[in-house]
Amino acid sequence: MHRRSIYSAAMLSATQVLFGCAALQFELLEGERPPGMPAAPQKTTEIALRMHPLPGKLDQTLVFNSNSPEIVTRPGIVLSTLPAPNEQLKSTFQGVAFSGDFAIFSHHIARDPRPGTRRLHLGLIAHNRGKTLCKLGLRSGATYLSQPDALFRRLRPLLPDPTGTFFAGPGDRVAGEILRGLSPLKPREWSIPPGSNQLLLDFPIPTNVAFPPPINGRTTQLYMHSDAPIYVSEVAVFANSSSPSDFVSPSKEDFQSVLSKNTRAGALEAPATPLVEGKEIKKGFRYGRVAGVTRGATWNSNLSREVAPLAPGETVGFPISAVHLNRLGTQQVQSAPLTSRYPESAYQGHGNYGVRYEMVLRLENPSPEPRAYALALSHPTQVTSQGGHHVATFRTPPDKAVTFRGLLRVDEWIGTRTLPPRFTHIVLRRGQTLPPFETLAIAAQGRRDLTLSLIYPADATPPQLLTIQRI
């Protein structure tokens, strides 16, 4: 696709307005209509395929998962896993300790009436309630703001990205850098004496942004290890200031003072709809945002058995991040279970933000003729079962809503030799199907071994469809 023209952005997408990250100009990509031109009528296409649940399952890693309330409007506790001091505060404290390997995921927004009115700080505090010294380590992690770190740029749907050039939004950038094996946050270790607290990290979210409105967001993902039980709190504090340009970052004592007030930060989200299998879903079902501790940081999978029997021209499909009401023609829900949750928040980790998918694939060719396979990611409007097979429905042109911005990684090895990883950045809209991100030729009597990886990025709308076709 080539640049056709440059236009002023008269209208901002909902996501861009939410984060205040729309560029003032954008590229008109090939096949798109200029502003003011009537929309072309959508055409529906169907693709026959054989659907399978994604093999494997989530691991048992606990994740401190903080995404509700999404917009933090006042000082208070965003999420705390400390034990509740009394029965009345069980809706504020989770009572879950972390030990060994665990992860932290946080995705929140600051909003002000005018740019730079306030500066929100999100502080992560570790609490050692035990009787021995606790050594807590940050092994790797990334955190980025919407502005200026990761603007919601308009990108082509399919882009080879060997150097990490392409990302749109902080969720996309955080997931992509971790997938590349990078750790912008340097590893470090804290020694926390018994009965004491430690301010681990302080993440500001300023609203004096370049592109209005005065809204900014931050996504954070950390991989931690503790040699003793430890509790974690995320606390919101607004910086003190004598003028709009003179903010003083809060101290450990400031965060601890706000935590001690035992109040939640921001207006609570509307309650999530309870999940009842087999019950008719009423209009207005609400998944809700996650505020709690989820179980599962990685989904390990082997696709080889399901792909092996493919006939020429046949396609097999697997859901990625299948959710309660959208399982893409399977009975599988991949959402991470919640071991604890705030009363109004989601009942599952819908969307699996931050979850890493590792999918092993061995393609063998026992025949005397070469074979080829195509791997693609898409977002069908639906997948239905018809006469013993499945049909995925797509729209051309697709809907405007972007449902996925993220990076895919392919690692391949030949014998004991590992090839350099291949990276492709993908942007999907609802109803969209794309060309393959990988086409694999296999010589007669040959085979190819690879692992397909992605970290499900914040701001994506699940599920997506992974397809493997024998050409």
Side-chain angles (χ1 to χ4, degrees), residues 307-341:
V307 175
L310 283 178
E314 190 177 12
T315 300
V316 64
F318 305 94
I320 302 294
S321 196
V323 293
H324 178 67
L325 294 185
N326 196 345
R327 309 179 189 190
L328 293 185
T330 72
Q331 296 301 308
Q332 184 181 50
V333 174
Q334 298 172 11
S335 302
L338 278 154
T339 63
S340 65
R341 55 180 286 275

Side-chain angles (χ1 to χ4, degrees), residues 6-82:
I6 299 291
Y7 290 86
S8 296
M11 298 294 290
L12 308 181
S13 73
T15 302
Q16 289 170 327
V17 170
L18 180 64
F19 283 96
C21 297
L24 296 179
Q25 299 183 10
F26 64 87
E27 293 182 1
L28 183 67
L29 304 179
E30 185 178 355
E32 293 185 333
R33 59 187 176 88
M37 179 180 290
Q42 286 183 316
K43 297 179 181 179
T44 298
T45 58
E46 294 182 341
I47 297 175
L49 72 166
R50 175 162 48 88
M51 284 297 303
H52 287 279
L54 185 68
K57 60 182 180 180
L58 285 165
D59 65 11
Q60 296 297 301
T61 303
L62 292 181
V63 180
F64 179 96
N65 201 319
S66 182
N67 186 215
S68 177
E70 185 180 31
I71 301 176
V72 178
T73 58
R74 62 173 181 251
I77 297 168
V78 183
L79 176 63
S80 178
T81 73
L82 279 166

Side-chain angles (χ1 to χ4, degrees), residues 81-83 95-98 125-129 229-233:
T81 73
L82 279 166
V96 178
F98 300 95
I125 303 173
H127 313 268
N128 182 2
R129 292 294 183 89
I230 201 84
Y231 299 93
V232 178
S233 298

Side-chain angles (χ1 to χ4, degrees), residues 272-279 281 285-288 323-325 327 333 335-338 341 345-350:
T273 305
L275 307 180
V276 181
E277 287 291 338
K279 184 178 179 180
I281 302 300
F285 181 90
R286 180 179 173 81
Y287 281 101
V323 293
H324 178 67
L325 294 185
R327 309 179 189 190
V333 174
S335 302
L338 278 154
R341 55 180 286 275
S345 74
Y347 286 86
Q348 294 178 330
H350 307 298

Side-chain angles (χ1 to χ4, degrees), residues 90-107:
K90 281 193 172 181
S91 61
T92 302
F93 297 94
Q94 302 276 293
V96 178
F98 300 95
S99 186
D101 292 335
F102 68 99
I104 293 175
F105 176 84
S106 174
H107 181 71

